[in-house]
Amino acid sequence: MATRFQSSESRSFWAGIILWSILDLAIVLAIASMWNDWPAALVVAAAATIAIWLAQMVLALYGFARYMAYFWFFERESRTRATVDQLVQLKMPAPNELYNDVDEYLLSAANDPSTSNDGRLFAGATLGILEATRKFGPRGVAISTAMVIEESLRRYSRLKLAQE
Protein backbone atom coordinates (compact mmCIF):
# COMPACT_ATOMS: atom_id res chain seq x y z
CA MET A 1 0.00 0.00 0.00
CA ALA A 2 2.72 2.45 0.96
CA THR A 3 4.66 1.74 -2.22
CA ARG A 4 1.61 2.37 -4.39
CA PHE A 5 0.88 5.58 -2.50
CA GLN A 6 4.46 6.80 -2.84
CA SER A 7 4.62 6.07 -6.56
CA SER A 8 1.21 7.69 -7.07
CA GLU A 9 2.37 10.69 -5.09
CA SER A 10 5.54 10.91 -7.18
CA ARG A 11 3.59 10.72 -10.43
CA SER A 12 1.20 13.42 -9.21
CA PHE A 13 4.11 15.64 -8.19
CA TRP A 14 5.87 15.41 -11.56
CA ALA A 15 2.63 15.64 -13.53
CA GLY A 16 1.79 18.78 -11.57
CA ILE A 17 5.14 20.34 -12.38
CA ILE A 18 4.79 19.52 -16.07
CA LEU A 19 1.19 20.73 -16.24
CA TRP A 20 1.95 23.94 -14.29
CA SER A 21 4.83 24.66 -16.65
CA ILE A 22 2.66 24.14 -19.72
CA LEU A 23 -0.10 26.26 -18.20
CA ASP A 24 2.35 29.06 -17.30
CA LEU A 25 3.76 29.05 -20.82
CA ALA A 26 0.27 29.00 -22.39
CA ILE A 27 -0.94 31.96 -20.33
CA VAL A 28 2.14 34.03 -21.07
CA LEU A 29 1.99 33.01 -24.73
CA ALA A 30 -1.66 34.09 -24.93
CA ILE A 31 -0.77 37.48 -23.49
CA ALA A 32 2.31 37.84 -25.71
CA SER A 33 0.35 36.88 -28.84
CA MET A 34 -1.42 40.23 -28.73
CA TRP A 35 1.58 41.67 -30.60
CA ASN A 36 0.64 39.63 -33.72
CA ASP A 37 4.32 38.86 -34.27
CA TRP A 38 4.65 35.14 -33.47
CA PRO A 39 8.45 34.76 -33.37
CA ALA A 40 8.73 37.75 -31.05
CA ALA A 41 5.75 36.54 -29.02
CA LEU A 42 7.42 33.16 -28.49
CA VAL A 43 10.64 34.81 -27.29
CA VAL A 44 8.74 37.15 -24.98
CA ALA A 45 6.62 34.26 -23.65
CA ALA A 46 9.66 32.10 -22.96
CA ALA A 47 11.53 34.96 -21.28
CA ALA A 48 8.52 35.94 -19.17
CA THR A 49 7.89 32.34 -18.13
CA ILE A 50 11.51 31.89 -17.07
CA ALA A 51 11.41 35.21 -15.19
CA ILE A 52 8.25 34.10 -13.35
CA TRP A 53 9.83 30.78 -12.42
CA LEU A 54 12.98 32.48 -11.14
CA ALA A 55 10.94 34.94 -9.11
CA GLN A 56 8.93 32.06 -7.59
CA MET A 57 12.13 30.21 -6.70
CA VAL A 58 13.69 33.28 -5.10
CA LEU A 59 10.55 33.99 -3.06
CA ALA A 60 10.32 30.35 -1.95
CA LEU A 61 13.98 30.32 -0.94
CA TYR A 62 13.54 33.60 0.93
CA GLY A 63 10.52 32.24 2.82
CA PHE A 64 12.37 29.03 3.69
CA ALA A 65 15.47 30.93 4.87
CA ARG A 66 13.36 33.31 6.95
CA TYR A 67 11.48 30.47 8.62
CA MET A 68 14.65 28.48 9.34
CA ALA A 69 16.44 31.55 10.75
CA TYR A 70 13.53 32.26 13.08
CA PHE A 71 13.43 28.61 14.13
CA TRP A 72 17.19 28.42 14.68
CA PHE A 73 17.49 31.56 16.78
CA PHE A 74 14.18 31.62 18.68
CA GLU A 75 12.44 28.23 18.73
CA ARG A 76 14.97 25.43 18.48
CA GLU A 77 16.11 25.34 22.10
CA SER A 78 12.69 25.82 23.69
CA ARG A 79 11.06 23.19 21.47
CA THR A 80 13.89 20.75 22.18
CA ARG A 81 13.65 21.28 25.96
CA ALA A 82 9.87 20.86 25.85
CA THR A 83 10.19 17.61 23.88
CA VAL A 84 12.82 16.22 26.28
CA ASP A 85 10.55 17.13 29.21
CA GLN A 86 7.72 15.29 27.53
CA LEU A 87 9.89 12.22 26.93
CA VAL A 88 10.87 12.21 30.62
CA GLN A 89 7.29 12.72 31.76
CA LEU A 90 6.04 9.83 29.62
CA LYS A 91 8.94 7.60 30.79
CA MET A 92 9.82 6.68 27.23
CA PRO A 93 12.33 3.85 26.72
CA ALA A 94 15.98 4.79 26.31
CA PRO A 95 16.87 5.41 22.65
CA ASN A 96 20.20 3.52 22.93
CA GLU A 97 21.71 2.90 19.52
CA LEU A 98 18.50 3.94 17.71
CA TYR A 99 18.66 7.60 18.75
CA ASN A 100 19.97 8.71 15.35
CA ASP A 101 17.04 7.13 13.50
CA VAL A 102 13.98 8.96 14.78
CA ASP A 103 11.47 6.89 12.81
CA GLU A 104 12.93 3.59 13.99
CA TYR A 105 12.97 4.71 17.62
CA LEU A 106 9.38 5.98 17.53
CA LEU A 107 8.17 2.83 15.79
CA SER A 108 9.93 0.59 18.30
CA ALA A 109 8.60 2.67 21.22
CA ALA A 110 5.06 2.55 19.83
CA ASN A 111 5.26 -1.25 19.48
CA ASP A 112 7.04 -1.90 22.79
CA PRO A 113 4.57 -3.32 25.34
CA SER A 114 6.75 -2.06 28.21
CA THR A 115 6.15 1.55 27.12
CA SER A 116 3.24 3.23 28.89
CA ASN A 117 0.02 3.71 26.94
CA ASP A 118 0.58 7.48 26.88
CA GLY A 119 4.14 6.91 25.67
CA ARG A 120 2.94 4.61 22.91
CA LEU A 121 0.33 7.15 21.89
CA PHE A 122 2.97 9.90 21.88
CA ALA A 123 5.34 7.79 19.78
CA GLY A 124 2.67 6.89 17.25
CA ALA A 125 1.32 10.43 17.02
CA THR A 126 4.80 11.89 16.65
CA LEU A 127 5.63 9.38 13.93
CA GLY A 128 2.43 10.36 12.14
CA ILE A 129 3.19 14.06 12.46
CA LEU A 130 6.68 13.57 11.08
CA GLU A 131 5.42 11.58 8.11
CA ALA A 132 2.58 14.00 7.39
CA THR A 133 4.84 17.06 7.50
CA ARG A 134 7.38 15.34 5.25
CA LYS A 135 4.73 14.50 2.67
CA PHE A 136 2.33 17.41 2.80
CA GLY A 137 3.74 20.20 4.94
CA PRO A 138 6.09 23.03 4.16
CA ARG A 139 9.69 21.83 3.93
CA GLY A 140 10.86 24.16 6.69
CA VAL A 141 8.34 22.74 9.16
CA ALA A 142 9.31 19.17 8.28
CA ILE A 143 13.02 19.88 8.65
CA SER A 144 12.68 21.83 11.89
CA THR A 145 10.41 19.20 13.46
CA ALA A 146 12.84 16.42 12.56
CA MET A 147 15.76 18.46 13.94
CA VAL A 148 13.96 19.03 17.25
CA ILE A 149 13.08 15.37 17.69
CA GLU A 150 16.58 14.17 16.75
CA GLU A 151 18.21 16.56 19.21
CA SER A 152 15.63 15.68 21.88
CA LEU A 153 16.40 11.98 21.51
CA ARG A 154 20.14 12.67 21.76
CA ARG A 155 19.64 14.62 24.99
CA TYR A 156 17.19 12.09 26.36
CA SER A 157 19.63 9.28 25.61
CA ARG A 158 22.41 11.10 27.47
CA LEU A 159 20.03 11.78 30.35
CA LYS A 160 19.03 8.12 30.59
CA LEU A 161 22.69 7.02 30.46
CA ALA A 162 23.56 9.45 33.27
CA GLN A 163 20.70 8.06 35.39
CA GLU A 164 21.92 4.47 35.05
Side-chain angles (χ1 to χ4, degrees):
M1 178 67 181
T3 304
R4 276 189 264 148
F5 174 75
Q6 289 173 347
S7 63
S8 172
E9 179 190 13
S10 178
R11 280 193 307 271
S12 297
F13 174 78
W14 288 111
I17 287 178
I18 292 167
L19 290 176
W20 289 334
S21 301
I22 292 170
L23 185 61
D24 286 346
L25 188 62
I27 290 170
V28 174
L29 186 59
I31 293 169
S33 68
M34 289 185 227
W35 280 289
N36 291 327
D37 182 16
W38 278 102
L42 288 173
V43 170
V44 169
T49 303
I50 290 170
I52 289 169
W53 291 341
L54 289 174
Q56 288 174 340
M57 283 190 269
V58 167
L59 287 173
L61 183 60
Y62 170 72
F64 176 77
R66 186 180 63 188
Y67 176 82
M68 290 306 289
Y70 180 81
F71 163 75
W72 189 263
F73 293 114
F74 300 109
E75 287 187 343
R76 180 176 52 99
E77 189 59 34
S78 62
R79 285 174 58 186
T80 302
R81 275 196 311 261
T83 305
V84 170
D85 290 345
Q86 198 166 19
L87 292 169
V88 169
Q89 179 186 7
L90 294 170
K91 297 181 178 104
M92 296 293 286
N96 297 335
E97 71 276 354
L98 299 175
Y99 76 85
N100 280 329
D101 189 353
V102 174
D103 292 338
E104 193 64 38
Y105 169 75
L106 291 172
L107 187 61
S108 67
N111 291 325
D112 186 1
S114 66
T115 305
S116 68
N117 287 338
D118 288 340
R120 293 173 77 178
L121 178 63
F122 171 79
T126 304
L127 190 58
I129 289 168
L130 281 173
E131 193 62 31
T133 55
R134 285 182 195 138
K135 297 282 184 195
F136 307 112
R139 293 292 179 227
V141 174
I143 292 169
S144 65
T145 303
M147 287 172 63
V148 164
I149 297 191
E150 284 175 11
E151 181 60 27
S152 298
L153 288 177
R154 279 190 196 98
R155 290 182 188 183
Y156 185 63
S157 180
R158 279 185 256 152
L159 183 68
K160 290 292 268 190
L161 285 174
Q163 288 176 350
E164 292 176 356

